[in-house]
Amino acid sequence: MRREVTLRDVAELAGVSSRTVSNVVNGYANVTERTRVRVQRAVEELGYRPNVLARNLAQGRSGQIALVVPYLDTPYFSELLQSVIRVARARGYNVLIDQTDGDAEHERAFIAHGSRRLLFDGVIFSPLGLDQQALADRDPNLPLVVLGERSSDGTFDHVGIDDVAASRQATEHLLDLGRRRLAAIGDQPYATGEAAQLRTRGFREAHEARGLTAREDLIISTPRFNRRDGAQAMARLLDREDPPDAVFCYSDLVALGAIHTLISRGLRVPEDVAVIGYDDIEDGAYSNPTVTTISPDKEMIATTAVERLLLRIGSPLPPPGVELRAPHRLIVRESTAGRAASAVHRGTPPMW
Amino acid sequence: MRREVTLRDVAELAGVSSRTVSNVVNGYANVTERTRVRVQRAVEELGYRPNVLARNLAQGRSGQIALVVPYLDTPYFSELLQSVIRVARARGYNVLIDQTDGDAEHERAFIAHGSRRLLFDGVIFSPLGLDQQALADRDPNLPLVVLGERSSDGTFDHVGIDDVAASRQATEHLLDLGRRRLAAIGDQPYATGEAAQLRTRGFREAHEARGLTAREDLIISTPRFNRRDGAQAMARLLDREDPPDAVFCYSDLVALGAIHTLISRGLRVPEDVAVIGYDDIEDGAYSNPTVTTISPDKEMIATTAVERLLLRIGSPLPPPGVELRAPHRLIVRESTAGRAASAVHRGTPPMW
């Protein structure tokens, strides 16, 4: 192994002081152009790499932000993750990623455990297990932006779509098809997070707006929003005497699981049962049938979250926490509109 | 904001020297039990958090490893990522994640750019754009474990499955069905990575082993291994006068894209065209039809990669680089076996 090149080596070769090399490396203005060029040549010649950790320590920052989500193998999060990394990198930040499995203790450690503080300058956080009180009890010096599940309490920013409005729109789409025995899969009445409750509220409101009553017995709770939960919940619904003719699923994964069960049982989608999902993950654009969905503007969510976090990191006093709404839209595909949707869809991007 | 609690504050409250507090916080043995308890009480009372960054600087380590992959929205990588994080965390390491988009310059910066060195102690790396020479020219002090695309050159460890054997097995499965016009989707003859070439070699070898000749004109190149590439390649194959009766796809995403095209064109899978994928991502277990695939042992790959990297990080002299083979197996589902596979499959975990 080669001996490490030091600041002192660079100073010696350039014929300047270590202090001057440090000024050049850190981009400070108090250096003449001539000296700067001389130092940079020495840096290149020796292959000197400034010690980022030492520099961060001196500046009290790490140049890293953390992204903490419940599940990394969920396409919604991995698609979001990709955008967060791209935006953060463009602003000169690395992204440290952790997955909590929705475990409250793990989540708490991430926002309270100040010993990690200097490893990241702020956190973009999607809590699942943590209740509002635990969130309020966090390290008050940690810049925080929350995605998904939680409304802002005024001390952090929250970025998300309007879940109630989006869920109402999804439900209205099923009612517009003339379906009247609507089921909902994904309710979590006892969860600390809000996403599921907001979606159930939208489901009920869409019914009420038309003078109908949501069938409470067709609202199925699931522990997670994944394929397996969707498949199992759909099986329970089909075992009833009066199975539904349409299903609002609280994620595309749940919808894909539900469709899997329907097809395994020999039922047709959407003729026998129409299915709508939520999240607009890529799977749903290629599945058979393709999945009608609520599409949140993920690029906007990622960009807004990173920008707000960097604003907080750069502010001497924390700005008040705000609710930031990203837009969403309904994308109609085969799982509600049948092959007709396919014909329309096939000619347009982002398919091929 | 509260003033930061310092080591000195703890020392004062505990009535000991700062040096003693430092010894306790860093877990050194030269402290009496009585003193240790007194210091820890003071630490808890004041809510003191040791400065990890400063400690790492003193110890010349960061407690972080980096995982660098081409695409984070690829389910294969996000499933792998999850396992790497779990294993690393159990060993007390954080995981810093970056995505390169397969860009050679970006990849090079990550392994050569020593300025980041102290931010991570080693890298688990899945290069795509970088050639073997650029990989050899990396920072020689950086512990490195490579996944996928590259064989070891003796200076780093490589963890992967036997791509040639797995591809031969996939191809043999299609030949066993009596299919004789086999296509392959995913070749990358000019790529710097090896994965695609190894799979094409396995495809050819399976034919040769039975005295058959692979149809070279049915081997289709694609820029990536994603759904869109699979869908487009399948469309090109179907536009031929003699379309294939079976397709070996170099990833499950490619297979899902190919199946999407087949079904859009009114063809039956597997009756008209049998399809096999590669990677065993969760999508393929729930899609319609479900996808027959080569399943690499991802948990084993992740565990081996982390363990080997930590071994390298902890070694004063780097151990010689080795090739490490994880096992793989063929999982037969509906896209080659039809509903019969489904019937068998439906009763078994991990479905429901």
Side-chain angles (χ1 to χ4, degrees), chain B residues 64-237:
Chain B
Q64 297 195 129
I65 59 175
L67 177 66
V68 182
V69 300
Y71 307 108
L72 282 164
D73 62 347
T74 301
Y76 176 76
F77 286 121
S78 54
E79 291 177 14
L80 196 66
L81 174 61
Q82 199 181 28
S83 299
V84 165
I85 288 178
R86 193 171 49 244
V87 177
R89 189 194 293 150
R91 299 284 303 262
Y93 275 78
N94 289 320
V95 179
L96 177 75
I97 294 172
D98 207 1
Q99 129 166 345
T100 61
D101 297 312
D103 177 69
E105 277 315 304
H106 191 120
E107 292 182 350
R108 195 193 321 275
F110 225 94
I111 56 170
H113 201 288
S115 68
R116 287 181 171 184
R117 194 181 51 260
L118 278 175
L119 284 178
F120 45 81
D121 302 329
V123 180
I124 298 175
F125 190 32
S126 180
L128 193 59
L130 219 52
D131 62 27
Q132 199 77 31
Q133 187 54 46
L135 200 54
D137 287 345
R138 73 183 188 280
D139 179 346
N141 294 322
L142 183 70
L144 179 68
V145 171
V146 169
L147 302 179
E149 306 282 331
R150 267 336 165 296
S151 310
S152 171
D153 66 356
T155 68
F156 56 82
D157 300 317
H158 176 254
V159 187
I161 65 170
D162 184 337
D163 271 309
V164 176
S167 302
R168 212 165 43 216
Q169 191 175 357
T171 309
E172 281 164 0
H173 174 64
L174 298 178
L175 294 171
D176 286 343
L177 299 175
R179 308 293 167 117
R180 285 298 175 270
R181 289 197 314 283
L182 270 55
I185 302 181
D187 193 33
Q188 298 176 340
Y190 306 111
T192 51
E194 296 166 0
Q197 282 104 318
L198 296 176
R199 291 173 202 183
T200 300
R201 195 199 299 171
F203 179 72
R204 291 197 183 105
E205 285 186 11
H207 283 81
E208 288 157 15
R210 304 202 176 185
L212 302 167
T213 307
R215 284 275 300 265
E216 294 294 327
D217 57 325
L218 296 183
I219 299 175
I220 307 293
S221 299
T222 59
R224 281 186 57 178
F225 284 177
N226 60 21
R227 291 183 181 87
R228 183 184 300 216
D229 286 346
Q232 288 175 333
M234 194 70 237
R236 280 168 55 197
L237 284 166

Side-chain angles (χ1 to χ4, degrees), chain B residues 54-67:
Chain B
R55 195 172 59 193
N56 289 342
L57 184 63
Q59 297 177 349
R61 62 180 285 276
S62 69
Q64 297 195 129
I65 59 175
L67 177 66

Side-chain angles (χ1 to χ4, degrees), chain A residues 262-335:
Chain A
L262 287 164
I263 289 172
S264 300
R265 300 267 186 117
L267 293 164
R268 294 164 305 158
V269 179
E271 293 82 354
D272 299 316
V273 183
V275 178
I276 184 168
Y278 205 100
D279 289 343
D280 190 23
I281 62 174
E282 201 195 49
D283 316 32
Y286 286 87
S287 55
N288 174 36
T290 54
V291 181
T292 296
T293 192
I294 294 293
S295 177
D297 188 334
K298 276 170 260 186
E299 190 66 23
M300 176 77 91
I301 291 173
T303 305
T304 306
V306 173
E307 297 288 339
R308 286 297 299 187
L309 188 65
L310 297 188
L311 179 72
R312 290 192 163 270
I313 290 169
S315 300
L317 282 178
V322 290
E323 279 293 330
L324 296 153
R325 289 263 182 257
H328 70 268
R329 64 200 172 95
L330 172 72
I331 297 182
V332 177
R333 297 204 186 100
E334 293 169 358
S335 68

Side-chain angles (χ1 to χ4, degrees), chain A residues 164-229:
Chain A
V164 176
S167 301
R168 212 166 42 216
Q169 192 176 357
T171 309
E172 281 164 1
H173 174 64
L174 299 177
L175 293 172
D176 286 342
L177 298 175
R179 309 292 168 118
R180 285 298 176 271
R181 290 197 314 283
L182 269 55
I185 302 181
D187 193 34
Q188 297 176 339
Y190 306 111
T192 51
E194 295 165 1
Q197 283 104 315
L198 296 177
R199 290 173 202 184
T200 300
R201 194 199 301 171
F203 180 72
R204 291 197 184 106
E205 284 186 10
H207 283 81
E208 288 157 17
R210 304 204 176 184
L212 302 168
T213 306
R215 285 277 298 266
E216 294 294 325
D217 57 326
L218 296 184
I219 300 175
I220 307 291
S221 300
T222 59
R224 279 186 58 178
F225 285 177
N226 60 21
R227 290 184 182 85
R228 183 183 299 215
D229 286 345

Side-chain angles (χ1 to χ4, degrees), chain A residues 106-174:
Chain A
H106 191 119
E107 291 182 350
R108 197 193 319 276
F110 225 94
I111 55 169
H113 201 288
S115 69
R116 288 181 170 183
R117 194 181 53 260
L118 278 175
L119 283 177
F120 45 80
D121 301 328
V123 179
I124 297 175
F125 190 33
S126 180
L128 194 59
L130 219 51
D131 61 27
Q132 198 77 29
Q133 186 54 46
L135 200 54
D137 286 344
R138 73 184 188 281
D139 179 346
N141 294 321
L142 183 70
L144 179 68
V145 172
V146 169
L147 301 179
E149 305 283 331
R150 267 334 167 297
S151 310
S152 172
D153 65 356
T155 68
F156 57 81
D157 299 317
H158 175 255
V159 187
I161 66 169
D162 184 336
D163 271 310
V164 176
S167 301
R168 212 166 42 216
Q169 192 176 357
T171 309
E172 281 164 1
H173 174 64
L174 299 177

